[in-house]
Amino acid sequence: MAIVKIISNGKNMAAARKIMSYILDVKKTEPDLCGTLGDVDAGILTPKSAYREFQRVRSLFGKDSGRTYTHGTVSWASGEITHEEAAAFAKDYLPQIYPEHQVIFAVHTDTDHIHFHFVVNPVSYLDGSMLHWSKHDLEKAKQICNEMCLQRGWQVAKKGHHYDGTAFADGEITAWRKDKWHQMERAPEKSYLVDLALAVQDCTAAVCNREDFCTMMEQEYGWNVIWKDTKKNITFTDCEGHRVRDSNLKKAFNLKTSKEELEHEFAKNIGKQTYNPKTIERKSATKGADLTLGSGKQLAERTAGNHSKSRR
């Protein structure tokens, strides 16, 4: 199954040169697995020639500021396809997604799973207009990718599943943004996302209604809970200004955090409530409970252990 990701959007030329050098690194790819699309006359494709071609179009339309590139990947599981098939896929796929823009791509061979990187010049070579992408555009790109995979007899990506088709386990770290993943990888015990996830799982196991949940989150963990019937999502905020939606927490940890899911968990606790908001006391069993995420230390250990699987 193919996984499409937009990784970054650069805002200076130094960053553009750096990402081209990374993508076209001879230690990571081979000449036959690289290519250009659109109005690119790079001759022998090198980071320098690719950068020069992007600059030619930017200068032609007087685009001296703004975004300098968009970087993304398309990935498959190990053994699912060959490097050559990935290169052929890139040549067919990228023109459908970026029909008016210069694109450089390279299939990398230095990892177990097959994937190609691509870099797009956000300045159109036809009229100089800037590339603007929305969530709808990304969903369309994923749909086209799935359709092309099906035409080739390959599996398609399933939401909430890994490359090999196995489902995410409850509490498994599946950080969707690279910066958040690295933060959790370096020091999970210092990550506000980890703090929030641990607080939510603890409070969910200790209360039997929304009001007690909100009270416990604020008084024991310092997280204010904005839970309004007129809003689709729950928003968590802390004194340092961090704001996290329930949907983002679910993406990062595969937790049950929607309004409906939390209400369902609260109902299961009726008759065995372990938290008293009036006295701010709880039974000791809750602190030692074997919950989905476990303790902060256990989560840190699992973060390191799941590094390769969760980053894909």
Side-chain angles (χ1 to χ4, degrees):
M1 63 182 71
I3 306 296
V4 181
K5 291 184 179 180
I6 301 300
I7 297 176
S8 60
N9 292 285
K11 295 185 178 180
N12 60 71
M13 298 313 301
R17 287 194 294 268
K18 184 176 181 180
I19 197 64
M20 288 179 181
S21 295
Y22 172 78
I23 288 175
L24 297 173
D25 187 342
V26 294
K27 296 179 181 179
K28 297 179 179 295
T29 188
E30 300 172 5
D32 292 343
L33 300 177
C34 304
T36 65
L37 302 166
D39 181 18
V40 179
D41 183 17
I44 298 176
L45 181 59
T46 65
K48 185 175 181 179
S49 66
Y51 172 80
R52 184 174 61 245
E53 282 296 290
F54 275 34
Q55 275 293 82
R56 175 178 62 82
V57 170
R58 293 182 67 86
S59 299
L60 178 64
F61 293 100
K63 301 291 186 178
D64 298 323
S65 61
R67 286 178 293 116
T68 56
Y69 72 87
T70 291
H71 170 212
T73 62
V74 179
S75 310
W76 291 264
S78 176
E80 189 171 0
I81 66 171
T82 66
H83 294 105
E84 291 73 20
E85 286 175 322
F89 187 93
K91 292 177 182 178
D92 292 340
Y93 174 68
L94 293 171
Q96 298 185 59
I97 309 304
Y98 304 103
E100 300 180 358
H101 296 264
Q102 297 170 304
V103 184
I104 309 295
F105 75 86
V107 179
H108 281 191
T109 59
D110 60 334
T111 60
D112 291 336
H113 67 284
I114 306 297
H115 67 283
F116 66 82
H117 290 260
F118 60 89
V119 183
V120 184
N121 186 349
V123 179
S124 168
Y125 65 82
L126 294 180
D127 58 13
S129 60
M130 291 296 292
L131 176 67
H132 294 288
W133 258 46
S134 63
K135 289 183 178 180
H136 174 74
D137 294 318
L138 179 57
E139 288 303 317
K140 182 178 179 181
K142 291 179 178 179
Q143 182 61 38
I144 292 174
C145 180
N146 287 342
E147 291 173 356
M148 290 181 60
C149 286
L150 289 173
Q151 291 170 0
R152 289 163 169 75
W154 303 342
Q155 292 183 330
V156 299
K158 295 181 180 179
K159 188 174 182 180
H161 289 70
H162 291 292
Y163 280 79
D164 58 6
T166 59
F168 291 143
D170 290 344
E172 182 174 344
I173 300 171
T174 56
W176 69 105
R177 280 180 51 183
K178 197 172 182 180
D179 57 343
K180 285 185 171 58
W181 168 259
H182 284 311
Q183 179 190 25
M184 291 188 287
E185 179 191 11
R186 288 191 298 268
E189 69 279 1
K190 296 181 180 179
S191 167
Y192 70 87
L193 280 175
V194 171
D195 289 342
L196 176 57
L198 292 170
V200 168
Q201 73 148 9
D202 195 24
C203 295
T204 301
V207 304
C208 58
N209 58 63
R210 179 201 309 187
E211 292 72 20
D212 288 355
F213 175 79
C214 296
T215 299
M216 185 176 178
M217 284 290 295
E218 181 175 4
Q219 296 191 10
E220 290 210 22
Y221 295 97
W223 284 93
N224 180 47
V225 182
I226 304 173
W227 185 328
K228 297 181 179 180
D229 293 333
T230 56
K231 299 290 185 179
K232 178 181 178 180
N233 295 101
I234 301 170
T235 302
F236 303 93
T237 63
D238 67 4
C239 60
E240 296 181 3
H242 298 125
R243 294 176 61 88
V244 184
R245 285 185 176 181
D246 58 346
S247 56
N248 288 339
L249 197 63
K250 186 180 184 71
K251 289 178 183 178
F253 297 97
N254 199 40
L255 287 175
K256 298 175 181 178
T257 57
S258 70
K259 291 180 178 179
E260 294 78 10
E261 289 170 331
L262 288 176
E263 293 282 9
H264 179 72
E265 293 300 310
F266 298 159
K268 290 162 58 176
N269 293 333
I270 294 176
K272 57 177 182 178
Q273 183 177 7
T274 57
Y275 174 73
N276 187 337
K278 295 181 179 179
T279 61
I280 315 301
E281 294 178 354
R282 72 166 80 192
K283 297 177 183 178
S284 59
T286 305
K287 284 292 189 181
D290 183 17
L291 301 172
T292 299
L293 294 179
S295 66
K297 181 180 179 181
Q298 291 170 330
L299 181 58
E301 292 173 349
R302 192 161 70 252
T303 303
N306 283 350
H307 175 271
S308 61
K309 186 175 184 179
S310 298
R311 281 188 65 184
R312 290 182 177 180

